[in-house]
Amino acid sequence: MGSLDLFSSNGKPTSPLSDFNPFNPEEFRKQAHKIVDFIANYYTQIESYPVLSQVEPGFIRNQLPQTAPSGPEPLEAIFKDINSLIIPGMTHWQSPNFFAFFPLNISTAAFLGEMLCTSFNGAGFNWQASPAMTELEMVVMDWLANMIGLPKAFLFSSTGGGVIQNTTSDAILLTLNAARDRVLEKIGTENMLKLVVYGSDQTHSTFEKVSKAVGIHPSNIRLIPTNIEGGFSTCPVKLRNVVENDVAKGLVPLYLCGTVGTTSTTTVDPLEALADVATEYGMWFHVDAAYAGSACICPEFRHYLNGIERVDSLSMNPHKWLLSCLGCCCLWVKRSDLLVKSLSVTPEYLKNECSESKSVVEFKDWQLGTSRRFNSIRLWVVLRSYGVENLQNHIRSDVRMAEEFESFVKADPRFEVVVPRLFALVCFRLNPNPQDDSSYTELLNRKLLDWVNSSGKIFMSHTIVGGIYMLRFAVGATLTEECHVIAAWNLIKEGTDELLKPM
Ligand code: PLP
């Protein structure tokens, strides 16, 4: 390796300790070209693979050795296993026929940005550890904040700022942690068990998980019930009643999690009215806009964030719908000092002049871990390579395709749209005889979903909301075009004909 002294004291060459050289730029160039070709081929063939993996449990583990190889294996041998084991064992999230859950967008720019991120492979925990990593993240987070019209309070030029996390769970964990510390400082840690957090039965499940992780007693996690009449959004009146009841019992309201674009149906909570309750009871108000936040870069969707100036924090995931690849959850807070106060620990080995002077942002204090990736470079490359207008068009094109799918559903009397579509997700169900028992209708839809997904041609998912089993058709995979949506609908109709065929 680079620094080995290859010469003995008498000037004669000695052999290096080993020939092993894990990074040689020329070797890297050669191998990386092969990988790039492999990736490009994967994407040109992606439609030929079943979208939902068809393997049985154990398929991969049973065919791979139980121990790592003792010696090197050529890249060709690794590719062979990728083709025969890994690809069949993948559910192809990037297939244009992937309509399940929410999309996880990929793009050429994100790929290139990811390569750059790995190229520098710095830990970026504080400013000195790579000034570019810290400062680029600040710039990119301010750019994105401006794109979705966040007020100045969320920018670094004010008291706030943004940081890239891995997932929404991290964003909720950090803000809940800061909120908890702020309140306990006032009321004393002996009151920890009095703290109560609020969401709705449509809040993402990670809220419950994280609440437990920060020490909220499970009996103090309130999930306000929603219903179809209220469009499955959190009802501010119900919330207020529950909070009042808690306060009357001597409990302490701590944190409210609202959602813009719920996971099941993309419902949007009324931020203004929820903010009234949060403000009145001194709660930290966080908004989870993991999916729908990306749409808010388009002026016609921005109104879904109305009231955002009254919340304490907001998170959204460009890795879902803004072409940025997994591992990009953007969190903004209005009071960055509260995050830092609850997380800052600086051992001697991380001290330096800049950090001591408090003149720089130290992102280690804005996350749980110490080391962090250069994810901002990926987002930066995406934003620069495409520009805001192309990103808006990307969102609009997915919404248009979802509208078209919705029109197919509405035109077929055997189907119904269950929840009004707001973005690019259509929640619908087969309901040929509305007088049928609801469990029979559920069974029909389960069978239809099974039939469609086991065909391998498309992949959709389902949910149950308000006791109604429904199918979710989420348009948004980067490669999806109108022809895929039309083919998907034809397949769903074919399955329906099969299912409803007289015996
Ligand atoms: N919040 C919402 C509204 C979501 O839809 C999702 C995932 O779809 C999540 C949170 C979970 O996101 P993450 O994987 O970033 O934790």
Side-chain angles (χ1 to χ4, degrees):
M1 281 186 255
S3 60
L4 278 182
D5 181 7
L6 301 181
F7 295 87
S8 65
S9 53
N10 63 13
K12 289 200 175 145
T14 60
S15 8
L17 288 177
S18 143
D19 292 334
F20 178 50
N21 182 353
F23 191 83
N24 167 321
E26 286 315 315
E27 188 59 21
F28 168 76
R29 192 193 307 277
K30 241 173 40 202
Q31 308 275 24
H33 280 146
K34 290 187 197 167
I35 288 275
V36 170
D37 282 341
F38 173 83
I39 295 169
N41 289 340
Y42 168 70
Y43 276 93
T44 53
Q45 290 162 23
I46 197 165
E47 282 192 65
S48 64
Y49 304 121
V51 190
L52 177 64
S53 175
Q54 312 278 310
V55 304
E56 298 291 330
F59 171 83
I60 291 123
R61 289 187 71 204
N62 292 342
Q63 295 188 67
L64 286 173
Q66 288 184 355
T67 52
S70 56
E73 294 191 54
L75 202 51
E76 285 66 25
I78 299 171
F79 275 139
K80 192 163 157 278
D81 284 347
I82 290 177
N83 281 318
S84 62
L85 297 176
I86 304 298
I87 287 185
M90 290 306 297
T91 288
H92 298 279
W93 283 67
Q94 300 311 321
S95 165
N97 297 310
F98 183 95
F99 300 105
F101 313 117
F102 282 134
L104 280 181
N105 278 177
I106 193 141
S107 66
T108 302
F111 245 120
L112 302 182
E114 176 65 25
M115 287 167 81
L116 289 170
C117 165
T118 304
S119 308
F120 297 114
N121 201 34
F125 35 72
N126 60 22
W127 182 86
Q128 191 196 46
S130 269
M133 287 176 74
T134 298
E135 294 193 19
L136 189 65
E137 187 151 338
M138 294 170 74
V139 169
V140 170
M141 290 303 293
D142 275 0
W143 280 8
L144 197 54
N146 280 317
M147 284 166 66
I148 58 170
L150 291 189
K152 192 165 186 292
F154 289 98
L155 304 184
F156 281 100
S157 51
S158 177
T159 54
V163 60
I164 300 180
Q165 304 289 327
N166 207 17
T167 68
T168 308
S169 314
D170 304 298
I172 296 181
L173 186 114
L174 297 186
T175 49
L176 187 45
N177 203 54
R180 182 203 58 198
D181 286 358
R182 178 175 67 170
V183 167
L184 289 182
E185 194 175 82
K186 276 193 211 138
I187 65 170
T189 49
E190 67 278 14
N191 288 305
M192 177 68 207
L193 292 180
K194 291 186 182 163
L195 301 181
V196 189
V197 297
Y198 303 85
S200 84
D201 59 9
Q202 296 307 303
T203 307
H204 192 277
S205 56
T206 196
F207 173 61
E208 214 178 322
K209 177 161 57 166
V210 167
S211 297
K212 287 184 197 160
V214 303
I216 304 297
H217 194 276
S219 66
N220 285 351
I221 302 171
R222 307 270 180 270
L223 301 179
I224 311 295
T226 63
N227 56 38
I228 195 160
E229 295 75 34
F232 302 114
S233 69
T234 312
C235 169
V237 176
K238 280 192 201 159
L239 171 71
R240 185 182 293 277
N241 288 342
V242 174
V243 174
E244 274 172 5
N245 193 33
D246 284 335
V247 172
K249 286 196 288 195
L251 298 174
V252 179
L254 172 67
Y255 185 98
L256 169 63
C257 184
T259 310
V260 170
T262 57
T263 311
S264 277
T265 60
T266 69
T267 293
V268 174
D269 279 338
L271 302 190
E272 295 267 15
L274 294 183
D276 286 342
V277 183
T279 309
E280 191 176 329
Y281 290 93
M283 282 189 272
W284 183 295
F285 186 13
H286 177 78
V287 169
D288 169 10
Y291 163 73
S294 296
C296 297
I297 66 164
C298 301
E300 66 272 31
F301 292 111
R302 170 58 179 75
H303 65 94
Y304 290 118
L305 287 181
N306 282 355
I308 202 70
E309 64 283 357
R310 299 187 55 201
V311 315
D312 297 283
S313 50
L314 164 78
S315 53
M316 67 169 261
N317 295 4
H319 67 229
K320 280 189 170 23
W321 204 10
L322 216 53
L323 300 174
S324 301
C325 278
L326 197 56
C328 187
C329 169
C330 294
L331 165 70
W332 291 271
V333 289
K334 257 191 197 158
R335 292 267 317 266
S336 60
D337 61 314
L338 296 176
L339 280 193
V340 172
K341 194 170 172 192
S342 74
L343 289 174
S344 181
V345 177
T346 306
E348 188 54 39
Y349 45 82
L350 294 184
K351 286 185 182 155
N352 61 68
E353 218 175 285
C354 280
S355 64
E356 294 293 285
S357 72
K358 307 271 180 235
S359 59
V360 290
V361 167
E362 306 262 292
F363 275 126
K364 74 172 175 49
D365 300 337
W366 295 53
Q367 64 172 26
L368 212 51
T370 303
S371 303
R372 56 202 321 273
R373 301 187 79 222
F374 197 0
N375 285 328
S376 61
I377 199 167
R378 194 175 62 226
L379 189 54
W380 187 58
V381 175
V382 169
L383 298 182
R384 290 190 64 178
S385 301
Y386 300 133
V388 177
E389 285 172 15
N390 275 319
L391 293 169
Q392 290 171 333
N393 289 338
H394 151 72
I395 298 284
R396 288 177 180 137
S397 137
D398 289 343
V399 173
R400 264 198 303 275
M401 287 190 275
E403 266 167 8
E404 187 173 7
F405 183 85
E406 183 188 34
S407 71
F408 296 152
V409 174
K410 285 182 170 167
D412 189 324
R414 299 171 300 176
F415 286 87
E416 64 183 5
V417 172
V418 186
V419 184
R421 182 196 50 75
L422 298 183
F423 303 98
L425 170 74
V426 182
C427 294
F428 70 110
R429 67 173 176 167
L430 176 61
N431 192 9
N433 301 306
Q435 68 280 10
D436 279 347
D437 183 65
S438 65
S439 56
Y440 177 72
T441 312
E442 176 171 334
L443 185 68
L444 267 185
N445 282 278
R446 283 186 187 276
K447 282 189 171 170
L448 177 59
L449 187 65
D450 258 8
W451 188 92
V452 163
N453 287 346
S454 59
S455 77
K457 291 181 181 160
I458 70 168
F459 181 31
M460 286 192 305
S461 53
H462 80 281
T463 189
I464 297 181
V465 181
I468 305 171
Y469 181 98
M470 59 191 95
L471 306 175
R472 294 173 75 266
F473 189 85
V475 180
T478 308
L479 297 176
T480 301
E481 294 175 24
E482 192 186 11
C483 59
H484 300 105
V485 173
I486 294 171
W489 175 244
N490 287 335
L491 185 76
I492 292 166
K493 277 197 308 184
E494 190 187 325
T496 304
D497 293 343
E498 191 70 27
L499 207 61
L500 300 181
K501 205 163 55 184
M503 295 289 187

